[in-house]
Structures are given as C-alpha cells and as structure tokens.
Amino acid sequence: MGRFRPDIEGLRAVAILTVVLYHLSLFHLTGGYIGVDVFFVISGFLITGQLVKTIDENGRRALAPFYGRRIKRLLPAASATVVATIVAWRIWGLATLPRATATDAFFTTFYGINYRLAHEGTQYFNPLVSPPALQHFWSLAVEEQFYFVWPLLILIAFWHQARGGKRRNLTVALCVIGAVSLFLSWHLSGSQPTWSFYGLHTRAWELSLGALVALSVKYAERLPALAAAAMTWVGLAAIGYAAFTFTNATTYPGLAALLPVVGAALVITGGCADPSLGAGLLLNRGPAQLTGRLSYSWYLWHFPIIIVAPLAVGHVLGESARIGLLVITFAVAAASYVVVEQPFRRQQWRPSRWFALAGGSAALVAIVGLLAISFPRPAVGPGPAVATLRLSGTVSQQEAQIRNAVAAGLAARAVPNNLHPDLAHAFGDGPVIPGDCFLGVSRTTVGPCVYGDPQASRTVVMFGDSVMAQWLPALDLVGKQNHWRVVSWGKESCTINDVLVPYIRTGQPYPQCRTWRDKTIQRIRALRPQVVLVGGFLYYDDPGVPVDRWTALTLDTVRAVSAPGTTVDYLMPDALPVRDMPSCLATHLRSPSTCSIPVAAASAPADRRTALAAALDAAHVTVVDPMTLMCADGGCPAIVGNVPVYRDTTHVTATYAKLLAPLFAKVLPPEPIP
C-alpha cells in the first residue's frame, strides 16, 4: 500500500480535467462534474490504506499525526485561495454580496460550506445565477467530514480484535455505511436536490467504495494481467462516458453516480496488479502525471478565477477567452503548488504546531472577511442624486411620467448616489410572501394569502410563478387604494399551463407543479373572484414545447379559471435581463447604460410571446404587458429614477414594482361612484 501509484496520479488528472472543462463549458463535457466523484474514490482508497496501517501499528496514537498530516496537506493552499478570493472579490466583485462571500469563507475554514450551500438552497446546476466563488469547497468539506469520523470507526473496529477480525469488522462497517448512503442518494436526489448533492450522507458511499478497494488490495494484486487491464480500460471508459453524456438534467448523484464511481474503482482495482496493457499506458505519461500532481491546487484556484474573471473584464467570456482562462488557471495552480503547497508539505512539525497553524489560518480568514464586510465596494454610484419619482394625476398621466423616467434612465451617465435600494440590498428587495402563499418545490397546498383590502367586496387572484408574484407589492398597493381584496397563490418555477417542464434549477422532474396547478384551479373556481390575473415566465422549456401547443395549453388554463362574473387577464413577463443586473450595475457604476437591455433581447425568444399575445387577443383576454412601462427608444434601462429595476437575473425589485402600480390600476379600477 505504501508504493507510489502513477496510474492514480493520472486518474487525478482525468478527474480535475473533467471538472475544470465543465466549469469552463469547454469541449462538450456536459457531465464533467463527475470528476469530483472520482476524487472521492481516490481519496477513500489512499487515506483508508494509510489509516489502517498506522492505526494497526499505533492505535489511537495515530490520530493526532493523521489529522496533522491532513492540515499540512490541505490547509495552507486552501487558506491562500480563500484569502485571495476575498481580496479579488473586494477589488472586482460585487457590492451586492460581500457578507455572503465572507460568510462562505468562514465556512470553508471549518469545512462546513457544503451544509451552508444546502441550507441556502444554492443549486449547483442553476443556469440563471452566478454561483458563489467558493462553492467548489463543498467537496473538500464532504471529505474532511468523512475523515473526521472514519478514523474513530477504524479504532472501534480494531478494538481487541485479531488481525482477521479487524479487517472483517471494517469491511462490514464500510458495507453498511455504503449501502445506507447509496440508498439515501437514490431516494433523496429527486426530492431534495441540494441536500443530496452537497451532503455527506449521500456521498459517503463513494468514499466507502474506495476504502473497500483499499482493504482488498492483496486480492486485487493477484488478478490475471488481462483481466486487470480490461478492468482499467472499462473503468476509464465509464468515467469518460459519464463526463460526455451526463448533463445538468441528470438526477445526481442518485444512482447515476454509480457509473463514474464504479469506473474509478475499477481503474484503481485493476491497477493494483500493475498490468502492462492497462490504462496506465495513458495515465502514467508525463502530462497526466504533471496534471495529477497539480490537481489539488488546480481544483482550489480554477473556480474563483472563473467566477471573478468576467467581473474583472466587464463582460461574459467567449470560447477563446475561456480557453485562455484554462491556461491561466493551470499556471496559477502551478505557482501555488511551488510557492505554497510544497514548502508546507516539506515541513516536519509536530501535530500541535499544525493544529496551531489551523487556528491561525482560521483567524486570518476571519480578519480578512471582516475587513471585506466592513469596507465593501460602493453600493451607490458616483452620479448626482436623482429626484425620487412621485407620480400624480390620472393613470394615463402617471404612465407618461414613468415613460419619461424610463427614457431618462437609458440616457443616465452614472449610477446616482441616492440609489434606493442600494446595490447591496437590491437582491433582498423582493415581495414578502409567507411560505404557504408562495410554495417551494415540494409543497402543493397554499393558504388563504389575502392582501390589499381584506374587507373589500371585490377579489382578484394572482395565479402563477415568481415572475407573477414579483408584482404583489404593486397589486397590494392598488388593492388598498381602490378597495380590492388581493389573493396571491404562487409556486416556484411552475407554469400555469399543463406543460410538464422540469424544475428549472435542476432539470429534474417536477410533478408537484401539476398537482399544485390542479388544486389551485379548483380553489379559484370555488372562490369565484371578479378578476383572475394569470401569467409567468414563458421560457422554462424553450425550445422544447412547440409554440402552438404552449399557446393552446395556456388558453386551456384561462378557460379553466373563467366563469360567469369572472374576468381573466394575462400578465406578460417583464423585460428579461438574463444576467444579474445589480452585479452589472456594481461593475459599471459610471456607465449604467452598459446594463441596459435592447428590447429585442428583453422579449426574446419573441415567437412564444407574440403568438401567445395574438391568441389571447383573439380569445378576448386582456393582455397586461409591463414592458410598455419598462422600455423606451428600443431599450430597457437598469435604473429608473433612483430605483434599480431588477434584483437578480429575472425579477424586478419590490420598489420598482410599486412604481408600476398604474399598470395594474386598469386591472383593478376603483369602485364606480353611485
């Protein structure tokens, strides 16, 4: 077990290349995230082999040196990456998320960021939101959590046992851990995607499989050469197949992870026999060895650089720039390996000194993080103050005032210094809706959810997703002014028509959407409101469902909620920015027009919007289009007056929603004077 395995070093190269190319969206490695699973198997194999040997020889005295070696191996380079990321985020990053980034840094220090990400609902496969710059530390957290417990279990398994009994106890423990973890991975990956993706409980089986291979080395070394060679090539092919065929829509880890995980185990097991015709022919070559040697540093540095680079240059990176970034991240990893990683690995300190280093590293990260929070980038602009827009007069006059402000926003030369909310708080400026009124993925039954004037005789129901719910502040305001009872029933990423689209953040099946939709339609029919306002995001599946079918199914929903005495209006989505607008403004404080959206892009893809508007008009359904008050002169600004329009990649701020209240005053007119 003590000999160097060049094939495993080469397998590290395969793992890191798949991960980096996936994160850079290069060479069609749509499932490159499986490289992390390969790392888990390698780690389980190598660490268990070392632990079993040292604990067998030294008992509990092996624990302190083991944890000291883990600190020496991992912490210096990791701490350097975290500190550099905080500094880079402060220089080029966003005024919008300094506290979140610093908090992530704290959690990386204590290897708990995987559960922070799960608790925050950070979707690894979410295409709409830029991920946290330290998100990739989740896998290191899983490993260290496993190795916090695993040595203790080995000690228990070895307690007062003969040599054969020790191995048997450990094998049984690994089989139980692996079976339970694999079951949880299969059972939870669809229903709890974030917790299953980031959790130790659904990943422990991958480390356990590597550990089982470590316990069976003496048998693997006796494998026939041809069989061992075949195992290595089959395993490598399985990893490659998963990397090129899995996508963000794959339920993961689930049972799908068996393919790359078993593949990695086959490569390692077959390599124990050192077959001359095995995958070592590829893995043992110089480029693979160099890449494998740098794999830890490359893993640490590549992701923050990928996230910060577009912010530093001020635009999304094209393919050639991403290829350049591939080279840059490798060079940074090589420098980190030479300057940080290797000098510390050569140190022969006592465990107590390494533990002291761990405490000092945590303190350094905490200090740098607190400084970043205390002295964030400006959250307002350098431009002169802009008067807060105060609407007056008739609805038509108010709409004219808004259009004038929109045109002025397109011409703004700097972000005003009285921006409200400022960019640090724009992301949180959304509607305040209880969890039983706007449902998450799993829930299907809403509460009463009454806003506006609860005592009013007239009722309007808002029915849709978050793109509909974002307008609740405006309807609540109009409801109070014009005496309407406003009922808001919504569900995350769920269409109002009967299209079985996957959950947009994960690509997983979303049957709860249909259940909620059917229940809510029945509640609307039972309530018999005067107005039903339906709508939402149009492009969940684009270009999946044909335009004519999407339109027909939408009209089916409109008819389903219609009834004598009930008018149905359709609310088109707002101008779609597709990029994080507060982040864009934070990066372009002196040129906010850079963040303006051309009308053609804001309504794209226009075919579904156009066809739906025509079909609704033919069916005599009133169409309410926010873009009429969000765009002018061919563009849609990111700031109107002193108000940021958007709070993320899709939704408007609650402050701006209230500004567009006149748009909904036509839907909810005041009671006629008798």
Side-chain angles (χ1 to χ4, degrees):
M1 277 303 298
R3 69 182 177 91
F4 173 71
R5 289 277 301 269
D7 59 321
I8 292 180
E9 194 83 311
L11 189 59
R12 281 195 176 111
V14 172
I16 188 60
L17 275 171
T18 59
V19 172
V20 175
L21 293 176
Y22 169 72
H23 286 151
L24 283 168
S25 299
L26 290 174
F27 308 128
H28 307 290
L29 261 76
T30 55
Y33 49 83
I34 58 92
V36 171
D37 305 88
V38 176
F39 276 127
F40 284 156
V41 179
I42 294 172
S43 180
F45 174 78
L46 294 176
I47 300 302
T48 297
Q50 297 168 9
L51 272 173
V52 168
K53 182 176 183 299
T54 56
I55 290 178
D56 196 21
E57 294 173 354
N58 302 299
R60 65 182 182 181
R61 290 174 296 176
L63 293 185
F66 168 75
Y67 290 120
R69 286 193 300 271
R70 296 302 292 170
I71 293 171
K72 175 169 70 171
R73 172 73 176 89
L74 301 177
L75 194 59
S79 297
T81 305
V82 171
V83 170
T85 300
I86 296 173
V87 173
W89 201 256
R90 174 60 182 79
I91 297 172
W92 292 295
L94 315 177
T96 52
L97 296 173
R99 186 175 299 276
T101 303
T103 304
D104 286 345
F106 300 153
F107 275 86
T108 62
T109 302
F110 301 103
Y111 293 102
I113 193 172
N114 57 326
Y115 288 116
R116 168 169 162 77
L117 293 169
H119 181 264
E120 293 292 316
T122 304
Q123 303 287 345
Y124 188 83
F125 299 118
N126 186 358
L128 299 178
V129 178
S130 179
L134 297 173
Q135 175 178 278
H136 64 311
F137 272 76
W138 74 268
S139 62
L140 303 178
V142 167
E143 280 198 29
E144 294 317 297
Q145 289 160 14
F146 185 82
Y147 292 128
F148 181 77
V149 177
W150 186 226
L152 303 177
L153 292 178
I154 294 176
L155 276 175
I156 294 171
F158 281 19
W159 196 265
H160 295 311
Q161 291 289 325
R163 184 170 297 275
K166 294 176 181 179
R167 297 274 176 159
R168 183 172 57 251
N169 289 349
L170 201 53
T171 301
V172 170
L174 283 169
C175 289
V176 171
I177 292 170
V180 172
S181 176
L182 180 58
F183 172 79
L184 292 174
S185 178
W186 165 70
H187 183 64
L188 299 177
S189 289
S191 60
Q192 299 181 20
T194 52
W195 286 98
S196 60
F197 189 89
Y198 295 115
L200 172 63
H201 59 296
T202 53
R203 299 288 189 162
W205 69 273
E206 303 177 23
L207 291 139
S208 297
L209 183 58
L212 283 169
V213 174
L215 294 180
S216 60
V217 164
K218 66 179 181 181
Y219 305 107
E221 290 174 340
R222 302 171 192 166
L223 287 169
L226 286 178
M231 289 174 68
T232 63
W233 287 113
V234 169
L236 201 59
I239 294 169
Y241 181 82
F244 281 100
T245 61
F246 286 6
T247 68
N248 290 356
T250 303
T251 302
Y252 209 82
L255 295 181
L258 280 166
L259 186 61
V261 169
V262 172
L266 287 174
V267 174
I268 295 172
T269 303
C272 291
D274 198 16
S276 59
L277 298 178
L281 291 172
L282 176 64
L283 300 177
N284 295 358
R285 296 190 178 276
Q289 293 298 292
L290 174 62
T291 304
R293 196 176 313 121
L294 299 178
S295 60
Y296 177 60
S297 286
W298 202 6
Y299 185 81
L300 289 176
W301 287 99
H302 84 281
F303 198 69
I305 294 173
I306 291 171
I307 298 302
V308 173
L311 303 174
V313 300
H315 58 79
V316 177
L317 301 181
E319 183 175 9
S320 59
R322 296 198 305 275
I323 292 174
L325 211 56
L326 177 69
V327 177
I328 291 171
T329 57
F330 187 82
V332 172
S336 175
Y337 178 81
V338 172
V339 175
V340 179
E341 192 173 340
Q342 281 300 98
F344 277 97
R345 290 182 69 176
R346 287 193 290 265
Q347 297 298 326
Q348 299 299 319
W349 294 345
R350 295 190 305 273
S352 59
R353 292 192 66 181
W354 290 113
F355 296 145
L357 176 68
S361 298
L364 175 63
V365 170
I367 291 169
V368 175
L370 288 172
L371 287 173
I373 293 173
S374 302
F375 302 97
R377 291 186 63 194
V380 296
V386 175
T388 301
L389 188 58
R390 307 288 185 187
L391 302 178
S392 60
T394 65
V395 170
S396 297
Q397 290 171 331
Q398 292 177 16
E399 289 182 334
Q401 294 161 22
I402 294 172
R403 291 191 183 96
N404 290 335
V406 168
L410 287 170
R413 296 185 177 181
V415 174
N417 60 26
N418 65 332
L419 198 66
H420 178 75
D422 64 31
L423 296 177
H425 297 91
F427 182 78
D429 189 33
V432 179
I433 309 177
D436 62 344
C437 296
F438 186 77
L439 306 183
V441 176
S442 59
R443 299 182 63 181
T444 59
T445 302
V446 293
C449 310
V450 178
Y451 298 87
D453 181 357
Q455 308 304 319
S457 59
R458 298 173 299 169
T459 299
V460 57
V461 173
M462 299 174 62
F463 174 38
D465 57 11
S466 61
V467 172
M468 167 63 76
Q470 69 180 342
W471 298 109
L472 178 58
L475 275 95
D476 181 43
L477 178 61
V478 175
K480 288 180 169 68
Q481 292 172 345
N482 292 352
H483 303 292
W484 281 82
R485 185 171 176 260
V486 179
V487 175
S488 178
W489 286 332
K491 184 170 174 63
E492 179 183 0
S493 303
C494 184
T495 61
I496 59 144
N497 57 22
D498 194 16
V499 176
L500 277 178
V501 298
Y503 181 50
I504 193 171
R505 297 184 185 275
T506 63
Q508 308 303 330
Y510 196 10
Q512 300 94 332
C513 178
R514 171 174 283 175
T515 303
W516 167 82
R517 183 191 308 115
D518 292 344
K519 285 183 178 181
T520 306
I521 288 173
Q522 293 302 316
R523 290 191 67 178
I524 292 172
R525 292 177 64 86
L527 184 62
R528 300 182 67 84
Q530 280 69 38
V531 175
V532 181
L533 189 61
V534 301
F537 193 61
L538 292 181
Y539 317 120
Y540 286 114
D541 67 322
D542 189 77
V545 177
V547 171
D548 56 349
R549 177 161 175 76
W550 181 283
T551 300
L553 291 173
T554 301
L555 290 175
D556 287 345
T557 298
V558 170
R559 286 188 284 268
V561 296
S562 298
T566 298
T567 300
V568 181
D569 292 348
Y570 191 93
L571 179 64
M572 284 290 180
D574 55 283
L576 187 64
V578 187
R579 57 180 170 177
D580 188 288
M581 294 297 271
S583 301
C584 182
L585 288 170
T587 310
H588 299 92
L589 292 173
R590 296 186 180 275
S591 55
S593 60
T594 305
C595 304
S596 298
I597 318 158
V599 169
S603 58
D607 54 348
R608 185 172 288 180
R609 179 188 282 265
T610 302
L612 183 57
L616 291 166
D617 183 64
H620 306 292
V621 176
T622 299
V623 175
V624 182
D625 191 353
M627 284 184 62
T628 61
L629 294 181
M630 298 181 71
C631 308
D633 302 325
C636 311
I639 299 173
V640 173
N642 67 331
V643 177
V645 176
Y646 300 96
R647 55 187 167 93
D648 54 22
T649 61
T650 310
H651 306 92
V652 300
T653 61
T655 304
Y656 188 75
K658 292 177 183 178
L659 193 62
L660 262 60
L663 182 73
F664 300 98
K666 297 178 180 179
V667 179
L668 310 179
E671 290 184 294
I673 300 174

